Amino acid sequence: MKLVMVLALALSSSLALAQTAPKKSTTKLPAKPAPAASTPAVTPAPANTTVANGESGTMKILKEKLQIRYFGEFLGPSIRKWEDNQIDTDGHGGAGKGRAVRQETPINLFNQFSFRWKVGEKTRAFWDARFTTQFGDRNEVGDGEDQQVIVQEDQRIGLNYGYWTSADKVWSTSFLPRVRLPTSEASQDSNIVLQPDILHVTSFQATPALNISLFNAVRYYWYEQKVDSERYRIYTSPSVTYVFNDTFELFVSYEHELSHRDPEGKSNFFLLRETLQDIYAGVNINITPSLTVFPFLRLAQLQRLEWDDQQDTAQVGAWIIGNIF
């Protein structure tokens, strides 16, 4: 009962945070810019004065240039055993072969506030302020890891460039060069200098109700010279969104990740191992024009598809997506 109350309070605080904002895209796609609001005609005015409609020049620029978006991901326990810690699976070549393993990581809420500034007709520079709030039992968190309730994550900066859209608006593509800064305790302890990555998004609007998207990303880990490690990841995620009405949308995505991590020169640089394979499935609920909640079921490993095994490893959670400005 204590855990349920904590989760309710956590979700309520996140919902209240985004309650007063404009509409947010309900998929993982970079949010589409909101339609430009019509501006009343005004007479010329000296700089730094108020325009005819009472709105300052500074506020007008902010509305044209600035976006503030919120994304939260709550990750809970398995559907079979409701407890304070998350469930992981040893499904990538380990001895467990997809069996459930209780993590030391508590259930938590990942938070990201994205500040985006328009620098071109189709380009925005952004800063993602990122941190995690831990709600579950932190007694098992290791001494060398962040044991705080609020955990600083790696901050991220980059550009979002929508470089091509078909004439009929059916196809669109975006290119996002990004850099993760080593602001988390985990990155600092690992002697990581930077984590540059590139994300490419392809979107196909098959019908007014059906969208199919593909996310591809490459992420490289740049270590200090004293660390003998070469590491990178290749991430792929197709997703499908089907709109039932203004309130409900079905969303399903598949994630797959290949990683290389070895001492420098020990193995072929292009040797990759599978490190992630899962499915997110749920329904987007558009609570207000500015707030969407996506409760989901996450199948954390796909090597054991029998329902009895999946109940141990399937994880419940929710996304919270909102526009703040």
Side-chain angles (χ1 to χ4, degrees):
M1 186 65 184
K2 176 183 177 182
L3 175 60
V4 173
M5 291 178 66
V6 172
L7 297 183
L9 288 172
L11 289 176
S12 297
S13 63
S14 297
L15 297 183
L17 179 64
Q19 191 73 21
T20 61
K23 174 70 178 171
K24 174 74 170 75
S25 169
T26 56
T27 71
K28 282 187 176 179
L29 283 172
K32 299 178 181 178
S38 59
T39 305
V42 297
T43 56
N48 299 322
T49 61
T50 304
V51 296
N53 63 355
E55 183 176 77
S56 70
T58 300
M59 182 56 67
K60 182 179 178 181
I61 292 173
L62 290 177
K63 286 186 175 181
E64 291 176 352
K65 299 287 189 178
L66 179 64
Q67 291 180 345
I68 304 177
R69 303 292 186 256
Y70 172 79
F71 171 79
E73 180 179 60
F74 165 73
L75 287 176
S78 73
I79 62 174
R80 171 171 282 176
K81 190 174 183 181
W82 190 267
E83 58 182 1
D84 278 357
N85 288 69
Q86 296 183 40
I87 291 292
D88 196 5
T89 58
D90 183 17
H92 305 288
K97 299 187 183 301
R99 299 295 186 183
V101 177
R102 187 177 189 267
Q103 285 194 63
E104 64 181 25
T105 304
I107 59 174
N108 58 43
L109 175 67
F110 168 79
N111 305 274
Q112 176 176 288
F113 292 89
S114 184
F115 300 86
R116 309 170 185 176
W117 187 264
K118 188 175 182 180
V119 295
E121 184 178 353
K122 297 181 179 179
T123 307
R124 288 185 180 271
F126 65 84
W127 164 45
D128 292 337
R130 311 160 84 233
F131 63 94
T132 296
T133 307
Q134 300 190 115
F135 301 115
D137 180 9
R138 291 177 285 120
N139 293 325
E140 297 180 19
V141 177
D143 293 336
E145 299 182 27
D146 199 327
Q147 300 177 334
Q148 303 300 314
V149 173
I150 298 178
V151 177
Q152 170 84 284
E153 301 291 352
D154 289 331
Q155 307 301 292
R156 186 167 61 188
I157 58 175
L159 292 174
N160 186 339
Y161 173 47
Y163 67 91
W164 177 76
T165 302
S166 63
D168 57 7
K169 310 296 184 183
V170 170
W171 291 91
S172 63
T173 54
S174 297
F175 176 68
L176 291 83
R178 309 176 296 188
V179 176
R180 295 183 188 223
L181 308 175
T183 53
S184 69
E185 184 173 325
S187 289
Q188 293 172 9
D189 290 345
S190 299
N191 301 114
I192 293 176
V193 178
L194 289 174
Q195 298 173 55
D197 74 76
I198 297 174
L199 171 65
H200 187 273
V201 182
T202 304
S203 177
F204 172 53
Q205 194 68 41
T207 71
L210 178 64
N211 177 272
I212 302 172
S213 297
L214 177 64
F215 293 74
N216 299 100
V218 178
R219 177 177 166 192
Y220 180 77
Y221 294 76
W222 177 12
Y223 289 94
E224 294 181 15
Q225 188 173 4
K226 65 182 179 181
V227 179
D228 183 16
S229 179
E230 45 184 33
R231 182 181 180 188
Y232 66 90
R233 294 180 176 181
I234 298 176
Y235 173 86
T236 302
S237 177
S239 65
V240 176
T241 304
Y242 186 82
V243 178
F244 295 114
N245 50 48
D246 290 342
T247 303
F248 298 104
E249 304 167 358
L250 174 68
F251 179 76
V252 179
S253 71
Y254 168 76
E255 291 185 312
H256 186 266
E257 186 177 77
L258 296 171
S259 298
H260 171 89
R261 185 176 187 181
D262 282 302
E264 188 173 0
K266 182 177 180 180
S267 65
N268 189 309
F269 183 75
F270 298 101
L271 175 64
L272 293 164
R273 303 172 181 87
E274 183 181 84
T275 51
L276 174 66
Q277 187 181 196
D278 64 28
I279 290 175
Y280 283 79
V283 176
N284 285 316
I285 306 172
N286 300 315
I287 298 175
T288 73
S290 62
L291 178 63
T292 295
V293 175
F294 170 65
F296 62 75
L297 179 67
R298 177 177 180 250
L299 304 181
Q301 58 83 22
L302 304 178
Q303 294 188 11
R304 308 179 68 89
L305 291 176
E306 296 84 1
W307 178 237
D308 189 57
D309 292 319
Q310 286 297 330
Q311 289 182 78
D312 286 332
T313 57
Q315 190 175 27
V316 296
W319 291 347
I320 305 153
I321 306 167
N323 286 11
I324 299 175
F325 188 86

